Amino acid sequence: MRTIWTTIITLVFLVVIILTFSILKGGVDVRSTFSSITLTSSNTTTNCATSSSTTQPLKVYMYDLPKRFNIGMLIRTPYQDMPPVTVQTLPPWPKNGLKKQHSVEYWMMASLLYTPIGDQDNREAVRVFDPELADVFFLPFFSSLSFNTHGHNMTDPDTQFDKQLQVDVLKFLRESDHWKRSSGRDHVIPMHHPNAFRFYREEVNASILIVADFGRYSKGLSNLSKDVVAPYVHVVDSFMDDNSSDPYESRKTLLFFRGRTERKDGGKVRSKLVPILKDIEDVVYENSFVTEEGINMSIHGMRSSKFCLHPAGDTPSSCRLFDAIVSHCVPVIVSDNIELPYEDELDYTEFSVVFSVEEALTRDYMVNQLRQMSKEKWLEMWRLLKQISHHYEFQYPPKKEDAVNMLWRQIKHKVPAAKLAVHRSRRLKVPDWWRRRR
């Protein structure tokens, strides 16, 4: 027995001697060893949590609204006799350039109707029919199409129809127990057109709004902390066979723009650019309107240009940016207040060039900066545009990481904050104490 204990003590003594010698010689850093163990353990937990949260699709309950709020605006025949909206009965989106730009609401609804065949399910959001299982509630009200269909001129008698739809949908929401439970914080409401839902935005401002930008919203309405910026649906065709052996040399035009040069608000920069950019040999800056011929000319112009100019429109953004992306024409953004889609995942400076309004209006500055960009740098941006352009494709059926799936993922990022607000609102006795603190 004594021999066994003697052996154990001897071994322990030898281990201590070896460790002490290693530390003195610098062979073992005890602090680093324990730090790395702690960090490894912490990172493993974080990664598991992240992996778990990202692999689970967002569970969405879609309200069953009467067809006059959505697809009834897409068809001419009496929609009252139509069967329930399914993949088979969903009408196609009309081929209209202006209305197509703001059809995000349609594609989001379509994605929830879709059921994949087989095991290949890469959706970021799935529809659930039990509201108690839902992470968010989707309102399939085509508010952008309603404005474009009924209230586009804003003074016509028809605009009252758009207003009445907003009144009716508000009544529907206020009678919903799910809306009452969260005050709408966990509801997703598309209003992509700058004038969509314009009469009663304040009434739904607690919800997660799907917007193009914040140009028509006051400071108290809509913000990045809760809302999602969605891309416009591009009007020009995607450049599917962009396989030139030397795209830099084949694109002869340096900078290209075709569009309305007379706009209001932030878009006034467009008219100011006319005297700066006219008469430059390899720059195209033309005034045009949305027609089939004009779209075809824009397709050709973007595909044969190195850079495509995106000055602010009536609001900070416009469809032109996304037309440039799917044309693999490096976007040149001129807008001081623009917010961009998916910016927590994409770095736009890697595939676009950004100028302030002041810089763009400084004669020769913008063009000279573009001329100084090396061919290698431009090719790097061009290749990246080809890699990321699928993020801006709205399509049915949806595909992995296309525009609608990217949007649902962005919405998923907003859910924790929405849940926090709901939970706090249920227990707070003085709801606004945080705002009133000194």
Side-chain angles (χ1 to χ4, degrees):
M1 186 70 178
R2 179 178 297 178
T3 303
I4 294 173
W5 278 108
T6 301
T7 302
I8 292 173
I9 292 170
T10 302
L11 288 172
V12 170
F13 180 75
L14 287 172
V15 169
V16 171
I17 292 296
I18 292 170
L19 282 174
T20 303
F21 180 76
S22 298
I23 291 170
L24 291 174
K25 294 289 289 181
V28 176
D29 186 340
V30 176
R31 292 172 300 175
S32 297
T33 301
F34 278 95
S35 295
S36 82
I37 292 172
T38 305
L39 286 171
T40 301
S41 173
S42 174
N43 286 339
T44 300
T45 303
T46 303
N47 289 339
C48 286
T50 303
S51 175
S52 173
S53 64
T54 54
T55 54
Q56 294 298 317
L58 185 72
K59 295 186 287 293
V60 184
Y61 179 84
M62 180 165 61
Y63 282 112
D64 186 17
L65 285 180
K67 298 179 187 67
R68 65 192 178 97
F69 290 102
N70 40 66
I71 65 168
M73 290 180 265
L74 290 173
I75 57 178
R76 296 180 180 178
T77 56
Y79 55 81
Q80 293 86 347
D81 301 330
M82 282 186 62
V85 183
T86 64
V87 172
Q88 290 74 28
T89 61
L90 184 70
W93 190 266
K95 294 181 179 180
N96 180 294
L98 286 174
K99 290 184 178 181
K100 181 181 179 182
Q101 296 179 70
H102 301 292
S103 57
V104 172
E105 54 208 14
Y106 171 86
W107 301 106
M108 294 184 75
M109 180 179 180
S111 73
L112 294 177
L113 296 173
Y114 171 66
T115 302
I117 300 173
D119 298 330
Q120 298 300 316
D121 188 356
N122 296 312
R123 291 175 297 171
E124 295 286 344
V126 295
R127 184 183 184 184
V128 295
F129 293 90
D130 181 354
E132 297 305 316
L133 299 177
D135 297 313
V136 293
F137 295 79
F138 178 69
L139 185 72
F141 172 38
F142 292 179
S143 59
S144 296
L145 183 58
S146 177
F147 173 77
N148 273 324
T149 303
H150 305 299
H152 186 62
N153 292 322
M154 302 180 74
T155 55
D156 290 349
D158 281 350
T159 198
Q160 290 302 313
F161 194 90
D162 178 36
K163 184 176 183 179
Q164 188 60 49
L165 284 177
Q166 294 170 45
V167 170
D168 294 345
V169 84
L170 274 175
K171 182 176 183 295
F172 175 89
L173 288 173
R174 287 168 178 163
E175 292 173 353
S176 164
D177 291 336
H178 316 306
W179 177 271
K180 295 175 186 176
R181 186 172 59 187
S182 67
S183 298
R185 291 184 181 91
D186 54 2
H187 283 53
V188 178
I189 304 179
M191 49 179 73
H192 195 257
H193 192 286
N195 292 317
F197 224 119
R198 65 191 180 96
F199 293 106
Y200 296 103
R201 285 177 182 167
E202 294 87 349
E203 304 298 323
V204 296
N205 193 43
S207 300
I208 301 170
L209 308 181
I210 311 300
V211 300
D213 56 41
F214 302 104
R216 293 278 171 86
Y217 295 80
S218 63
K219 290 183 179 180
L221 283 176
S222 198
N223 59 77
L224 275 177
S225 65
K226 71 176 186 68
D227 299 324
V228 172
V229 176
Y232 286 62
V233 179
H234 60 84
V235 174
V236 304
D237 295 336
S238 300
F239 199 176
M240 304 306 294
D241 56 347
D242 186 7
N243 300 312
S244 171
S245 58
D246 193 345
Y248 185 85
E249 296 301 333
S250 66
R251 292 175 178 247
K252 301 299 184 183
T253 301
L254 175 71
L255 182 62
F256 178 84
F257 172 88
R258 290 192 83 256
R260 299 282 297 277
T261 56
E262 295 293 333
R263 307 305 283 176
K264 53 191 176 183
D265 300 328
K268 290 178 180 178
V269 66
R270 293 191 181 187
S271 59
K272 295 177 181 179
L273 284 169
V274 173
I276 293 174
L277 297 177
K278 72 174 183 177
D279 300 330
I280 299 178
E281 184 178 358
D282 54 354
V283 172
V284 174
Y285 194 79
E286 298 176 348
N287 183 50
S288 70
F289 297 87
V290 180
T291 63
E292 186 174 352
E293 180 184 4
I295 291 173
N296 289 333
M297 292 178 68
S298 291
I299 291 173
H300 174 74
M302 288 185 167
R303 293 182 182 184
S304 57
S305 301
K306 295 178 177 67
F307 299 95
C308 287
L309 186 61
H310 168 67
D314 289 344
T315 61
S317 64
S318 80
C319 184
R320 193 161 286 97
L321 169 61
F322 309 103
D323 287 345
I325 289 174
V326 300
S327 301
H328 311 150
C329 179
V330 175
V332 176
I333 301 172
V334 177
S335 181
D336 291 343
N337 303 309
I338 194 170
E339 295 296 342
L340 299 167
Y342 329 135
E343 204 164 6
D344 60 343
E345 298 189 51
L346 298 180
D347 182 354
Y348 279 76
T349 63
E350 293 181 348
F351 55 86
S352 59
V353 185
V354 183
F355 293 101
S356 68
V357 170
E358 181 180 0
E359 288 172 333
L361 294 180
T362 301
R363 184 171 292 276
D364 298 330
Y365 177 80
M366 182 167 61
V367 171
N368 287 340
Q369 290 293 309
L370 298 179
R371 291 196 196 284
Q372 290 172 18
M373 181 181 291
S374 67
K375 177 178 179 178
E376 290 71 23
K377 178 62 177 176
W378 184 90
L379 285 171
E380 181 182 326
M381 289 186 165
W382 172 78
R383 292 188 188 100
L384 189 53
L385 283 170
K386 293 180 67 176
Q387 293 175 20
I388 58 92
S389 61
H390 66 285
H391 294 321
Y392 302 89
E393 299 290 352
F394 288 90
Q395 56 206 338
Y396 187 86
K399 296 180 181 179
K400 183 179 181 180
E401 295 199 331
D402 68 357
V404 76
N405 271 310
M406 290 287 284
L407 280 181
W408 284 120
R409 194 156 77 205
Q410 293 290 300
I411 292 166
K412 188 176 182 179
H413 296 169
K414 306 294 182 181
V415 170
K419 286 185 176 179
L420 171 64
V422 170
H423 294 166
R424 291 185 76 250
S425 67
R426 288 176 182 171
R427 59 90 178 165
L428 287 177
K429 299 298 182 181
V430 184
D432 63 342
W433 78 268
W434 183 262
R435 294 181 181 276
R436 291 187 296 155
R437 77 192 192 286
R438 293 182 179 180

